[in-house]
Amino acid sequence: MTRRTYKPFDPLAVALEQIGDRWTLIIVRALMNKPQRYSDLKAFMVGSGSNVLADRLRRLADLAIVTRSAGSRAGSDITYQLTERGWTLAPVIEDLVRFGLRSLLFGATGHESGPERRVFDLGWAMTNPALAVEETYQWIIDGVVFTLEVVVEGVQIVRTPGHAKNPVARLETTTEVLEELLGRRTTLGEAVKSNSMKLKGRPAAIERMFTALGFPPDQVETLQLADTG
Amino acid sequence: MADSWHSRCFCPLSMALDVLGDRWSLLVVRALLPGPQTRESLCTFLARRDGPDLDAILRELIDAEVIRRGQAGGHDSVFELTDRGAMLGPVVQELMRWGLGELLLTTTHAARGSESFDQSWAVADLADPKDEAYAWTIDGRTFTLEVVGSTLIRTLGPPPDPVVVMETSSEIFEALAFGRISFPEALMRGELRLSGQPEATRRMFHVCGFPPEFLQALAPDRISPEVSA
């Protein structure tokens, strides 16, 4: 490597130097869900430069965090997956996710003042933007009510404080339950069954909601949506 | 303002990374974890690391409500973590655990050649720096730490002429580094073995960046019975 990096004998600085880069962590997080092809990973790299993915994958392979494997059939796609060493990063990611989740739901100030209006990109979660439907969802998290509105033009989701006018799906739960879901310590199906998450709406709308918000398909499948009505 | 951390995606990890910005932010957060610090002490801490513009980082962290100005003892420029900022403690700990494994070669994927670390930040206030070598055996694997000026060179295998020899496990080293056990405690329980002159031992920990509180516990009268050449 030609770049001269400043490297002190300091565990935090070394960790940040190796894995502290935004795109590196986003790739590791994507691979915690499942092994991914190069083209799958591209969807997670919203806003990155064109060669960033290739560069980070090379670096992650050098660090033995990610391995690549060719499919069993000739000509099938190469997939990338975490090594055992790569999986040791899971607690770092989970702690970051836990920190980010509260900001995502409530904004910087937390519960007290409630969430302010914010617009988010949906492109990374909606692999097929044509499937986006203009509709609103209402979430109550830790008792705080807010509206999530899908805007098809621009493939965005808008978060506003307060009740939704005509939500097609309603969700009520706590940040703890969401954290467990994100850390894969529970599934959507289990959360609903144990009554720690309440869902209302038509199965198809609920499915669209979770998909639009980036929940992985295997999580959405655990809902067995027929009975949530 | 909010512009400095606009998340593009409705994704907790993205959000966390937006709030944290670059890697210097977490170094500031770590410095503030034990308690409020004056701007000057943060400056010493970061400037020793060749750091970027501290004021810009502090401003961003204040906007993101990770830190705030405190009013300790009439000082007008004391900074402290907000509740939100304190939530980053586990992130810092997990990153340090990862980095420690890298430094001590306990989780490293492959035995690398020599690696150099820039310790000018740690050596700066050392009264009597010396070019010398230390032997560390962690989890049964021995490596050399050699001081050349302000550079620390780590090489696998024992040095010919170490002034300090240390042997311990990665668990004990981690507990020491995170302040969960004290140095005299580890020595007394036989969980850490040291041989070398007390002064050389102090220099070793100093060069390796252990904090002043730790070095105080190394006062010769406290460790001399256990340390012998």
Coordinates of all heavy atoms in Angstrom, one line a residue, chain A residues 6-12 14-19 22 25 29 62-65 85 88-89 91-92 95-97 99-104 108-109 118 120-121 124 148 182 213, chain B residues 5 7-18 20 23 26-27 30 48-49 65 84 87-88 90-91 94-96 98-100 102-103 107 109 115-119 121 152 208:
Chain A
Y6 N -1.0 7.2 9.5 CA -0.5 7.5 10.8 C -1.0 6.5 11.8 O -2.2 6.3 11.9 CB -1.0 8.9 11.2 CG -0.7 9.2 12.6 CD1 0.6 9.5 13.0 CD2 -1.7 9.2 13.6 CE1 0.9 9.8 14.3 CE2 -1.4 9.5 14.9 CZ -0.1 9.8 15.3 OH 0.1 10.1 16.6
K7 N -0.1 5.7 12.4 CA -0.6 4.6 13.2 C 0.0 4.6 14.6 O 1.2 4.2 14.7 CB -0.3 3.3 12.5 CG -1.0 2.1 13.2 CD -0.9 0.9 12.3 CE 0.5 0.5 11.9 NZ 0.6 -0.8 11.2
P8 N -0.7 5.0 15.6 CA -0.1 4.8 17.0 C -0.4 3.5 17.6 O -1.3 2.8 17.1 CB -0.8 5.9 17.7 CG -2.1 6.2 17.0 CD -2.0 5.6 15.6
F9 N 0.4 3.1 18.6 CA 0.2 1.8 19.3 C -0.9 2.1 20.3 O -0.7 2.3 21.5 CB 1.5 1.4 20.0 CG 1.5 0.0 20.6 CD1 1.7 -1.1 19.7 CD2 1.2 -0.2 21.9 CE1 1.8 -2.4 20.2 CE2 1.2 -1.5 22.4 CZ 1.5 -2.6 21.6
D10 N -2.2 2.1 19.8 CA -3.3 2.5 20.6 C -4.5 1.7 20.1 O -4.8 1.8 18.9 CB -3.5 4.0 20.5 CG -4.9 4.5 20.9 OD1 -5.7 3.7 21.4 OD2 -5.2 5.7 20.8
P11 N -5.1 0.9 20.9 CA -6.2 0.0 20.4 C -7.3 0.7 19.7 O -7.7 0.2 18.6 CB -6.7 -0.7 21.6 CG -6.1 -0.1 22.8 CD -4.9 0.7 22.3
L12 N -7.7 1.8 20.2 CA -8.9 2.5 19.5 C -8.4 3.1 18.1 O -9.1 2.9 17.1 CB -9.4 3.7 20.4 CG -10.6 4.4 19.8 CD1 -11.8 3.4 19.5 CD2 -11.1 5.5 20.7
V14 N -6.0 2.0 16.3 CA -5.8 0.9 15.3 C -7.1 0.3 14.8 O -7.3 0.1 13.6 CB -5.0 -0.3 16.0 CG1 -5.1 -1.6 15.3 CG2 -3.5 0.2 16.2
A15 N -8.1 0.2 15.7 CA -9.4 -0.3 15.3 C -10.0 0.6 14.3 O -10.6 0.2 13.2 CB -10.3 -0.5 16.5
L16 N -9.9 1.9 14.6 CA -10.6 2.9 13.7 C -9.9 2.9 12.3 O -10.5 3.1 11.3 CB -10.6 4.3 14.3 CG -11.5 4.5 15.5 CD1 -11.2 5.8 16.2 CD2 -13.0 4.4 15.1
E17 N -8.5 2.7 12.4 CA -7.8 2.8 11.1 C -8.2 1.6 10.3 O -8.3 1.7 9.0 CB -6.3 2.7 11.5 CG -5.4 3.4 10.5 CD -4.8 2.4 9.4 OE1 -4.5 1.3 9.8 OE2 -4.8 2.7 8.3
Q18 N -8.4 0.4 10.9 CA -8.7 -0.8 10.1 C -10.1 -0.8 9.7 O -10.4 -1.2 8.5 CB -8.4 -2.0 10.9 CG -6.9 -2.3 11.1 CD -6.6 -3.7 11.5 OE1 -7.5 -4.4 11.9 NE2 -5.3 -4.0 11.5
I19 N -11.0 -0.5 10.6 CA -12.5 -0.8 10.3 C -13.3 0.4 10.5 O -14.6 0.3 10.5 CB -13.0 -2.0 11.1 CG1 -12.7 -1.8 12.6 CG2 -12.4 -3.3 10.6 CD1 -13.6 -2.4 13.5
R22 N -16.6 4.4 7.2 CA -18.1 4.2 7.1 C -18.5 3.0 6.2 O -19.3 2.2 6.5 CB -18.6 5.5 6.5 CG -19.8 5.4 5.7 CD -20.3 6.7 5.2 NE -21.7 6.6 5.2 CZ -22.5 7.2 6.1 NH1 -22.0 8.0 7.0 NH2 -23.8 7.1 6.1
L25 N -17.8 -0.5 7.5 CA -18.8 -1.0 8.5 C -20.1 -1.3 7.8 O -20.8 -2.3 8.2 CB -19.0 0.1 9.5 CG -17.8 0.2 10.5 CD1 -17.9 1.5 11.3 CD2 -17.7 -1.0 11.4
R29 N -21.9 -5.0 7.9 CA -23.3 -5.1 8.4 C -24.2 -5.8 7.4 O -25.0 -6.7 7.7 CB -23.9 -3.7 8.6 CG -25.4 -3.6 8.7 CD -25.9 -3.6 10.1 NE -27.3 -3.3 10.2 CZ -28.2 -4.0 10.8 NH1 -27.8 -5.1 11.4 NH2 -29.4 -3.7 10.9
D62 N -7.9 -8.5 2.6 CA -6.5 -8.4 3.2 C -6.5 -8.6 4.7 O -5.6 -9.2 5.3 CB -5.9 -7.0 2.9 CG -5.5 -6.9 1.4 OD1 -5.4 -8.0 0.7 OD2 -5.2 -5.8 1.0
L63 N -7.6 -8.1 5.3 CA -7.6 -8.1 6.8 C -8.3 -9.4 7.2 O -8.5 -9.6 8.4 CB -8.5 -6.9 7.3 CG -7.8 -5.6 7.2 CD1 -8.8 -4.5 7.5 CD2 -6.6 -5.4 8.2
A64 N -8.6 -10.3 6.3 CA -9.2 -11.6 6.6 C -10.6 -11.4 7.3 O -10.9 -12.2 8.2 CB -8.3 -12.5 7.4
I65 N -11.3 -10.4 7.0 CA -12.6 -10.2 7.6 C -13.7 -10.7 6.6 O -14.7 -11.2 7.1 CB -12.8 -8.6 7.8 CG1 -11.9 -8.2 9.0 CG2 -14.3 -8.3 8.2 CD1 -11.8 -6.7 9.2
R85 N -13.3 -14.4 11.9 CA -12.7 -13.2 12.4 C -13.7 -12.0 12.1 O -13.8 -11.1 13.0 CB -11.4 -13.0 11.8 CG -10.7 -11.7 12.0 CD -9.3 -11.8 11.3 NE -8.8 -10.5 10.9 CZ -8.3 -9.6 11.7 NH1 -8.2 -9.9 13.0 NH2 -7.9 -8.5 11.2
T88 N -16.4 -11.4 14.6 CA -16.1 -10.8 15.9 C -16.4 -9.3 15.9 O -16.3 -8.7 16.9 CB -14.6 -11.1 16.3 OG1 -13.7 -10.4 15.4 CG2 -14.2 -12.5 16.3
L89 N -16.7 -8.8 14.7 CA -17.0 -7.4 14.6 C -18.5 -7.1 15.0 O -19.0 -6.0 15.1 CB -16.8 -6.8 13.2 CG -15.3 -6.5 13.0 CD1 -15.1 -6.2 11.5 CD2 -14.8 -5.4 13.8
P91 N -20.4 -7.3 17.7 CA -20.7 -6.5 18.8 C -20.5 -5.0 18.5 O -21.2 -4.1 19.0 CB -19.8 -6.9 19.9 CG -19.3 -8.3 19.5 CD -19.3 -8.3 18.0
V92 N -19.4 -4.7 17.7 CA -19.2 -3.3 17.4 C -20.4 -2.7 16.6 O -20.9 -1.6 16.9 CB -17.9 -3.1 16.5 CG1 -17.7 -1.7 16.1 CG2 -16.7 -3.6 17.3
D95 N -23.5 -2.3 18.7 CA -23.5 -1.1 19.6 C -23.7 0.2 18.7 O -24.4 1.1 19.2 CB -22.2 -1.0 20.3 CG -22.1 -2.0 21.4 OD1 -23.2 -2.3 22.0 OD2 -21.0 -2.4 21.8
L96 N -23.2 0.2 17.5 CA -23.4 1.4 16.7 C -24.9 1.5 16.3 O -25.5 2.5 16.2 CB -22.5 1.3 15.4 CG -21.1 1.7 15.6 CD1 -20.2 1.3 14.4 CD2 -20.9 3.2 15.8
V97 N -25.5 0.3 15.9 CA -26.9 0.2 15.5 C -27.8 0.7 16.7 O -28.7 1.5 16.5 CB -27.2 -1.2 15.1 CG1 -28.7 -1.4 15.0 CG2 -26.6 -1.5 13.7
F99 N -27.0 2.8 19.0 CA -26.8 4.2 19.1 C -27.6 4.9 18.0 O -28.3 5.9 18.3 CB -25.3 4.6 19.0 CG -25.1 6.1 19.0 CD1 -25.1 6.8 20.2 CD2 -24.8 6.7 17.8 CE1 -24.9 8.2 20.1 CE2 -24.6 8.1 17.8 CZ -24.6 8.8 18.9
G100 N -27.5 4.4 16.8 CA -28.1 5.0 15.6 C -29.6 4.9 15.7 O -30.3 5.8 15.2
L101 N -30.1 3.8 16.2 CA -31.6 3.6 16.2 C -32.4 4.7 16.9 O -33.4 5.2 16.4 CB -31.9 2.2 16.9 CG -33.4 1.8 16.9 CD1 -33.9 1.6 15.5 CD2 -33.6 0.6 17.8
R102 N -31.9 5.1 18.1 CA -32.6 6.1 18.8 C -32.6 7.5 18.0 O -33.5 8.2 18.0 CB -32.0 6.3 20.2 CG -32.4 5.2 21.1 CD -31.9 5.4 22.5 NE -32.6 4.5 23.5 CZ -32.3 3.2 23.6 NH1 -31.4 2.6 22.8 NH2 -33.0 2.4 24.4
S103 N -31.4 7.8 17.4 CA -31.4 9.0 16.6 C -32.3 8.9 15.4 O -33.0 9.9 15.1 CB -30.0 9.2 16.0 OG -29.0 9.0 17.0
L104 N -32.4 7.7 14.8 CA -33.2 7.5 13.7 C -34.7 7.7 14.0 O -35.5 8.4 13.3 CB -33.0 6.1 13.2 CG -33.5 5.7 11.8 CD1 -32.8 6.6 10.8 CD2 -33.2 4.2 11.6
A108 N -31.9 13.8 17.4 CA -30.8 14.0 18.3 C -31.2 14.2 19.8 O -30.6 13.7 20.7 CB -30.0 15.2 17.9
T109 N -32.4 14.8 20.0 CA -32.7 15.2 21.3 C -33.4 14.1 22.1 O -33.6 14.2 23.3 CB -33.6 16.4 21.3 OG1 -34.5 16.3 20.3 CG2 -32.8 17.7 21.2
R118 N -37.9 14.7 9.0 CA -36.7 14.3 8.3 C -37.0 13.5 7.1 O -38.0 12.8 7.0 CB -35.7 13.5 9.2 CG -35.0 14.2 10.3 CD -33.8 15.0 9.7 NE -32.8 14.1 9.2 CZ -31.8 13.6 9.9 NH1 -31.8 13.7 11.2 NH2 -30.9 12.8 9.3
F120 N -35.6 10.7 4.3 CA -34.5 9.7 4.1 C -34.7 9.0 2.7 O -35.8 8.9 2.2 CB -34.7 8.5 5.2 CG -34.6 9.0 6.6 CD1 -35.8 9.4 7.3 CD2 -33.4 9.1 7.2 CE1 -35.7 9.8 8.6 CE2 -33.3 9.5 8.5 CZ -34.5 9.9 9.2
D121 N -33.5 8.6 2.2 CA -33.5 7.8 0.9 C -34.0 6.4 1.2 O -33.8 5.9 2.2 CB -32.1 7.7 0.4 CG -31.7 8.8 -0.5 OD1 -32.5 9.7 -0.7 OD2 -30.6 8.8 -0.9
W124 N -31.7 2.2 -1.1 CA -30.9 1.0 -0.6 C -31.8 -0.1 -0.2 O -31.5 -1.3 -0.3 CB -30.0 1.4 0.5 CG -30.8 1.8 1.7 CD1 -31.5 2.9 2.0 CD2 -30.9 0.9 2.9 NE1 -32.1 2.8 3.2 CE2 -31.7 1.6 3.8 CE3 -30.5 -0.3 3.2 CZ2 -32.1 1.1 5.0 CZ3 -30.8 -0.9 4.5 CH2 -31.6 -0.1 5.3
L148 N -44.6 7.8 9.2 CA -43.6 7.5 8.1 C -44.3 7.5 6.8 O -45.3 6.7 6.6 CB -42.9 6.2 8.4 CG -42.0 6.2 9.6 CD1 -41.6 4.7 10.0 CD2 -40.8 7.0 9.5
L182 N -32.9 -6.0 15.4 CA -31.8 -5.6 14.6 C -30.6 -6.4 15.0 O -29.7 -6.7 14.1 CB -31.4 -4.1 14.8 CG -32.5 -3.1 14.2 CD1 -32.3 -1.7 14.8 CD2 -32.4 -3.1 12.7
L213 N -38.5 -0.2 4.9 CA -37.6 0.3 6.0 C -36.4 -0.6 6.1 O -35.6 -0.4 7.1 CB -38.4 0.3 7.3 CG -39.6 1.4 7.2 CD1 -40.4 1.3 8.5 CD2 -39.0 2.8 7.0
Chain B
W5 N -25.0 16.4 9.8 CA -25.1 14.9 10.0 C -26.5 14.5 9.4 O -27.3 13.8 10.0 CB -25.0 14.5 11.5 CG -26.0 15.2 12.4 CD1 -26.0 16.5 12.8 CD2 -27.2 14.6 13.0 NE1 -27.0 16.7 13.6 CE2 -27.8 15.6 13.7 CE3 -27.8 13.3 12.9 CZ2 -29.0 15.4 14.4 CZ3 -28.9 13.1 13.6 CH2 -29.5 14.1 14.4
S7 N -28.5 12.1 7.6 CA -28.5 10.7 7.2 C -29.3 10.6 5.9 O -30.3 11.2 5.7 CB -29.2 9.8 8.2 OG -29.1 8.5 7.8
R8 N -28.8 9.8 5.0 CA -29.5 9.7 3.7 C -30.5 8.5 3.8 O -31.5 8.4 3.1 CB -28.5 9.4 2.6 CG -27.5 10.6 2.4 CD -26.5 10.2 1.4 NE -27.1 10.0 0.1 CZ -26.9 10.8 -0.9 NH1 -26.2 11.8 -0.8 NH2 -27.5 10.5 -2.1
C9 N -30.1 7.5 4.6 CA -30.9 6.3 4.6 C -31.6 6.1 6.0 O -31.1 6.5 7.0 CB -30.0 5.1 4.4 SG -29.0 5.2 3.0
F10 N -32.8 5.5 5.9 CA -33.5 5.2 7.2 C -32.9 3.9 7.7 O -33.4 2.8 7.6 CB -35.0 5.0 6.9 CG -35.8 5.0 8.1 CD1 -36.2 6.2 8.7 CD2 -36.2 3.8 8.7 CE1 -37.0 6.2 9.8 CE2 -37.0 3.8 9.9 CZ -37.4 5.0 10.4
C11 N -31.7 4.0 8.2 CA -30.9 2.8 8.6 C -30.1 3.2 9.8 O -29.4 4.2 9.8 CB -30.0 2.4 7.4 SG -28.6 1.4 7.9
P12 N -30.2 2.5 10.9 CA -29.6 2.9 12.1 C -28.1 3.0 12.0 O -27.5 3.9 12.6 CB -30.0 1.8 13.2 CG -30.9 0.9 12.5 CD -31.0 1.2 11.1
L13 N -27.4 2.1 11.3 CA -26.0 2.1 11.2 C -25.5 3.4 10.5 O -24.6 4.1 10.9 CB -25.4 0.9 10.5 CG -23.9 0.8 10.4 CD1 -23.2 0.9 11.7 CD2 -23.5 -0.4 9.6
S14 N -26.2 3.6 9.4 CA -25.9 4.8 8.6 C -26.0 6.1 9.5 O -25.2 7.0 9.4 CB -27.0 5.0 7.5 OG -26.4 4.9 6.3
M15 N -27.1 6.1 10.2 CA -27.4 7.2 11.1 C -26.3 7.4 12.1 O -25.8 8.5 12.3 CB -28.7 7.0 11.8 CG -29.1 8.0 12.8 SD -29.2 9.7 12.1 CE -30.9 9.8 11.8
A16 N -25.9 6.3 12.7 CA -24.8 6.4 13.7 C -23.5 6.9 13.1 O -22.8 7.7 13.6 CB -24.5 5.0 14.3
L17 N -23.2 6.4 11.9 CA -22.0 6.8 11.2 C -22.0 8.3 10.8 O -21.0 9.0 10.8 CB -21.7 5.9 10.0 CG -21.4 4.5 10.4 CD1 -21.4 3.6 9.2 CD2 -20.2 4.3 11.2
D18 N -23.2 8.8 10.5 CA -23.4 10.2 10.1 C -23.1 11.0 11.3 O -22.5 12.1 11.3 CB -24.8 10.5 9.7 CG -25.0 10.0 8.2 OD1 -24.1 9.9 7.5 OD2 -26.2 9.7 7.9
L20 N -21.3 10.3 13.9 CA -20.0 10.2 14.4 C -19.0 10.9 13.4 O -17.9 11.2 13.8 CB -19.6 8.7 14.6 CG -20.4 8.2 15.7 CD1 -20.0 6.7 15.9 CD2 -20.1 8.9 17.0
R23 N -13.2 9.5 12.1 CA -12.7 8.7 13.3 C -12.2 9.5 14.4 O -12.1 9.0 15.5 CB -11.6 7.8 12.8 CG -10.5 8.6 12.2 CD -9.3 7.7 12.2 NE -8.9 7.4 10.8 CZ -7.7 6.9 10.5 NH1 -6.8 6.8 11.4 NH2 -7.4 6.7 9.2
L26 N -14.6 9.7 17.7 CA -14.6 8.7 18.7 C -13.4 8.8 19.7 O -13.5 8.4 20.8 CB -14.7 7.3 18.1 CG -16.0 6.8 17.7 CD1 -16.0 5.5 17.0 CD2 -17.0 6.8 18.9
L27 N -12.3 9.4 19.1 CA -11.2 9.6 20.0 C -11.5 10.7 21.1 O -11.1 10.6 22.2 CB -9.9 10.0 19.2 CG -9.3 8.9 18.3 CD1 -8.2 9.5 17.4 CD2 -8.7 7.8 19.2
R30 N -13.8 9.0 23.6 CA -13.1 8.3 24.6 C -12.4 9.1 25.6 O -12.5 8.9 26.8 CB -12.0 7.4 23.9 CG -11.2 6.7 25.0 CD -10.1 5.8 24.4 NE -9.1 6.6 23.6 CZ -8.1 6.0 23.0 NH1 -7.9 4.7 23.2 NH2 -7.3 6.7 22.3
R48 N -1.2 15.8 20.2 CA -0.1 14.9 20.2 C -0.3 13.9 19.1 O 0.6 13.1 18.8 CB -0.1 14.2 21.6 CG 0.3 15.1 22.7 CD 0.7 14.3 23.9 NE -0.4 13.4 24.4 CZ -0.3 12.8 25.5 NH1 0.8 12.8 26.2 NH2 -1.3 12.1 26.0
R49 N -1.5 13.8 18.6 CA -1.7 12.8 17.5 C -1.8 13.4 16.2 O -2.5 13.0 15.3 CB -3.0 12.1 17.8 CG -3.0 11.2 19.0 CD -4.3 10.9 19.6 NE -4.2 10.3 20.9 CZ -4.1 9.0 21.0 NH1 -4.2 8.2 20.0 NH2 -4.0 8.5 22.2
E65 N -25.2 16.8 19.3 CA -25.6 16.5 20.7 C -25.0 15.3 21.3 O -25.6 14.5 22.0 CB -27.1 16.5 20.8 CG -27.7 17.9 20.3 CD -29.2 18.0 20.6 OE1 -29.7 17.5 21.6 OE2 -29.8 18.7 19.8
R84 N -26.8 11.1 25.3 CA -26.6 10.5 24.0 C -25.2 10.1 23.8 O -24.9 9.0 23.3 CB -27.1 11.5 23.0 CG -26.9 11.2 21.6 CD -27.6 12.4 20.8 NE -27.1 12.5 19.5 CZ -27.8 11.9 18.5 NH1 -28.8 11.1 18.7 NH2 -27.4 12.1 17.2
M87 N -23.9 7.1 25.5 CA -24.3 5.8 24.9 C -23.3 5.2 24.0 O -23.3 4.1 23.6 CB -25.6 6.0 24.1 CG -26.9 6.0 24.9 SD -28.3 6.0 23.8 CE -28.2 4.4 23.0
L88 N -22.3 6.0 23.7 CA -21.2 5.5 22.8 C -20.1 4.8 23.5 O -19.2 4.2 22.9 CB -20.6 6.7 22.0 CG -21.5 7.3 20.9 CD1 -21.0 8.6 20.4 CD2 -21.5 6.3 19.7
P90 N -20.1 1.8 25.0 CA -19.9 0.5 24.5 C -19.3 0.3 23.2 O -18.5 -0.6 22.9 CB -21.3 -0.1 24.5 CG -22.1 0.8 25.4 CD -21.5 2.1 25.4
V91 N -19.6 1.3 22.3 CA -19.0 1.3 20.9 C -17.4 1.4 21.1 O -16.7 0.7 20.5 CB -19.5 2.4 20.1 CG1 -18.8 2.5 18.7 CG2 -21.0 2.3 19.9
E94 N -15.9 -1.8 22.5 CA -15.8 -2.9 21.6 C -14.8 -2.6 20.5 O -14.1 -3.6 20.1 CB -17.2 -3.1 20.9 CG -18.2 -3.8 21.7 CD -17.8 -5.2 22.2 OE1 -16.9 -5.8 21.5 OE2 -18.3 -5.6 23.3
L95 N -14.6 -1.4 20.1 CA -13.6 -1.1 19.1 C -12.2 -1.3 19.8 O -11.3 -1.8 19.1 CB -13.7 0.4 18.6 CG -14.8 0.6 17.6 CD1 -15.1 2.1 17.4 CD2 -14.4 -0.1 16.2
M96 N -12.1 -0.9 21.0 CA -10.8 -1.0 21.7 C -10.5 -2.5 21.9 O -9.3 -2.9 21.8 CB -10.8 -0.3 23.0 CG -10.7 1.2 22.8 SD -10.6 2.1 24.4 CE -8.9 1.7 24.9
W98 N -11.3 -4.9 19.9 CA -10.9 -5.4 18.6 C -9.4 -4.9 18.3 O -8.6 -5.7 17.9 CB -11.8 -4.8 17.5 CG -11.3 -4.9 16.1 CD1 -10.5 -4.0 15.5 CD2 -11.5 -6.0 15.2 NE1 -10.1 -4.5 14.2 CE2 -10.7 -5.7 14.0 CE3 -12.2 -7.2 15.2 CZ2 -10.7 -6.5 12.9 CZ3 -12.1 -8.0 14.1 CH2 -11.4 -7.6 12.9
G99 N -9.2 -3.6 18.6 CA -7.9 -3.0 18.3 C -6.8 -3.7 19.2 O -5.6 -3.9 18.7
L100 N -7.1 -4.0 20.4 CA -6.2 -4.6 21.3 C -5.7 -6.0 20.8 O -4.5 -6.3 20.8 CB -6.8 -4.8 22.7 CG -5.9 -4.8 23.9 CD1 -5.0 -3.6 23.9 CD2 -6.8 -4.8 25.2
E102 N -5.5 -6.8 17.8 CA -4.6 -6.5 16.7 C -3.2 -6.1 17.2 O -2.2 -6.6 16.7 CB -5.2 -5.3 15.9 CG -6.4 -5.6 15.1 CD -6.1 -6.7 14.1 OE1 -5.3 -6.5 13.2 OE2 -6.7 -7.8 14.2
L103 N -3.2 -5.3 18.2 CA -1.9 -4.8 18.7 C -1.1 -6.0 19.4 O 0.1 -6.1 19.3 CB -2.1 -3.7 19.8 CG -2.6 -2.4 19.3 CD1 -2.7 -1.4 20.4 CD2 -1.6 -1.8 18.3
T107 N -5.7 -11.8 17.8 CA -6.8 -12.1 16.9 C -6.4 -11.9 15.5 O -7.2 -11.9 14.6 CB -8.1 -11.2 17.2 OG1 -7.6 -9.8 17.0 CG2 -8.6 -11.4 18.6
H109 N -5.1 -12.3 11.9 CA -5.3 -13.4 10.9 C -4.0 -14.1 10.6 O -3.9 -15.2 10.3 CB -6.0 -12.9 9.7 CG -5.4 -11.7 9.1 ND1 -5.5 -10.5 9.7 CD2 -4.7 -11.6 7.9 CE1 -4.8 -9.6 8.9 NE2 -4.4 -10.2 7.8
E115 N 6.0 -4.3 12.2 CA 5.1 -3.2 12.0 C 5.5 -2.1 12.9 O 5.9 -2.3 14.0 CB 3.6 -3.7 12.3 CG 2.6 -3.2 11.3 CD 1.3 -3.8 11.5 OE1 1.2 -5.1 11.6 OE2 0.3 -3.1 11.4
S116 N 5.5 -0.9 12.3 CA 5.9 0.3 13.0 C 4.8 1.2 13.5 O 3.8 1.4 12.8 CB 6.8 1.2 12.1 OG 7.9 0.4 11.8
F117 N 4.9 1.6 14.7 CA 3.8 2.5 15.3 C 4.5 3.8 15.7 O 5.6 3.9 16.2 CB 3.2 1.9 16.5 CG 2.5 0.6 16.2 CD1 3.3 -0.6 16.3 CD2 1.2 0.5 15.8 CE1 2.7 -1.9 16.0 CE2 0.6 -0.7 15.5 CZ 1.3 -1.9 15.6
D118 N 3.8 4.9 15.4 CA 4.3 6.2 15.7 C 3.9 6.6 17.1 O 2.7 6.8 17.4 CB 3.7 7.2 14.7 CG 4.2 8.6 14.9 OD1 4.7 8.9 16.0 OD2 4.0 9.5 14.0
Q119 N 4.8 6.6 18.0 CA 4.5 6.9 19.4 C 4.9 8.3 19.9 O 5.1 8.6 21.1 CB 5.2 5.9 20.3 CG 4.6 4.5 20.2 CD 3.1 4.5 20.4 OE1 2.3 4.6 19.5 NE2 2.7 4.3 21.7
W121 N 3.3 10.9 20.2 CA 2.3 11.4 21.2 C 2.6 10.9 22.6 O 2.3 11.6 23.6 CB 0.9 11.0 20.8 CG 0.7 9.6 20.6 CD1 1.1 8.8 19.6 CD2 0.1 8.7 21.6 NE1 0.7 7.5 19.8 CE2 0.1 7.4 21.1 CE3 -0.5 8.9 22.9 CZ2 -0.4 6.3 21.7 CZ3 -1.0 7.8 23.5 CH2 -1.0 6.5 23.0
L152 N 7.8 2.7 17.6 CA 7.8 1.5 18.3 C 7.6 0.4 17.2 O 6.7 0.4 16.4 CB 6.5 1.4 19.2 CG 6.4 0.3 20.2 CD1 7.5 0.3 21.2 CD2 5.1 0.4 20.9
C208 N 4.2 2.8 25.5 CA 3.0 2.0 24.9 C 1.7 2.8 25.1 O 0.7 2.3 24.7 CB 2.9 0.6 25.4 SG 4.3 -0.4 24.9

